[in-house]
Amino acid sequence: MGKKIYTGRYTTENDQDIVVFIIGMRINKRLAVRKWGPVFTAMPGMIRELYENQEELGFLSMESYFGLRTTIMVQYWRSTEDLLAYAKGKKHLTAWQNFNKKVGENDAVGFYHETYQIKAGSYESVYRNMPLFGMGNAKKHIPITASHNSARKRLQGVKTN
């Protein structure tokens, strides 16, 4: 069964800071499975840990995409402090140490991440006829009303109270 589709127009509250973390890898040498395989297989355990401990870790939600060579994961976090604390945790540190041992300076696989700290009131979103997705899956998903029916109005603040 597919995800529930929310018919109509929706947005999210934007009254709290949020952190968007983009992480991924690129397979530069397809046949070098011994180099990129461990990087690829380390991620599911960390994702499971994040979802099993969301509130405690400050992890809100994520979306994943897989291309022919490049993967990308967009994660939403409560704060930079929560994200950085997770980076120091055992599961992540072990994966990072293994990556450095197995890959080192070898160019068979690439890795990247970007972190964006977004202040309250400086982001907006709109979803039309979509399942919960992106920020709409990370923050409170609410129907659009006349008080916030344009991007400009949503950037001025969206609250359900």
Side-chain angles (χ1 to χ4, degrees):
M1 174 172 227
K3 292 182 175 182
K4 177 183 183 215
I5 303 297
Y6 290 84
T7 305
R9 294 175 65 219
Y10 288 79
T11 190
T12 61
E13 291 182 330
N14 65 355
D15 59 339
Q16 295 175 337
D17 295 353
I18 193 166
V19 172
V20 178
F21 182 64
I22 301 172
I23 185 170
M25 64 174 265
R26 183 177 193 281
I27 299 169
N28 296 324
K29 296 182 179 175
R30 293 179 194 204
L31 297 179
V33 178
R34 287 189 189 149
K35 295 294 181 182
W36 61 261
V39 178
F40 189 79
T41 58
M43 196 55 83
M46 287 186 280
I47 293 168
R48 189 170 32 261
E49 178 180 53
L50 291 172
Y51 275 108
E52 288 173 355
N53 303 284
Q54 278 184 276
E55 186 61 35
E56 175 189 333
L57 296 172
F59 171 74
L60 302 174
S61 184
M62 62 161 266
E63 304 290 341
S64 295
Y65 307 92
F66 299 93
L68 292 175
R69 288 183 176 249
T70 305
T71 67
I72 183 171
M73 187 181 312
V74 180
Q75 296 182 348
Y76 301 90
W77 290 78
R78 186 175 49 211
S79 71
T80 305
E81 292 76 21
D82 290 328
L83 174 62
L84 296 175
Y86 183 75
K88 301 263 188 230
K90 184 176 191 238
K91 192 170 283 282
H92 177 266
L93 278 180
T94 300
W96 185 243
Q97 290 165 349
N98 288 339
F99 171 80
N100 286 318
K101 281 181 197 169
K102 291 184 192 262
V103 176
E105 297 302 316
N106 186 299
D107 64 354
V109 62
F111 163 84
Y112 65 92
H113 79 253
E114 302 172 355
T115 306
Y116 302 93
Q117 299 174 312
I118 306 174
K119 297 293 178 194
S122 65
Y123 58 91
E124 69 87 30
S125 59
V126 65
Y127 309 91
R128 186 177 202 131
N129 303 329
M130 288 285 295
L132 294 178
F133 180 84
M135 190 81 71
N137 199 25
K139 303 285 290 171
K140 187 172 183 181
H141 185 246
I142 56 175
I144 290 178
T145 64
S147 67
H148 50 271
N149 67 356
S150 70
R152 183 177 309 280
K153 287 180 180 179
R154 288 188 297 276
L155 284 166
Q156 292 171 350
V158 176
K159 295 181 184 171
T160 56
N161 298 343

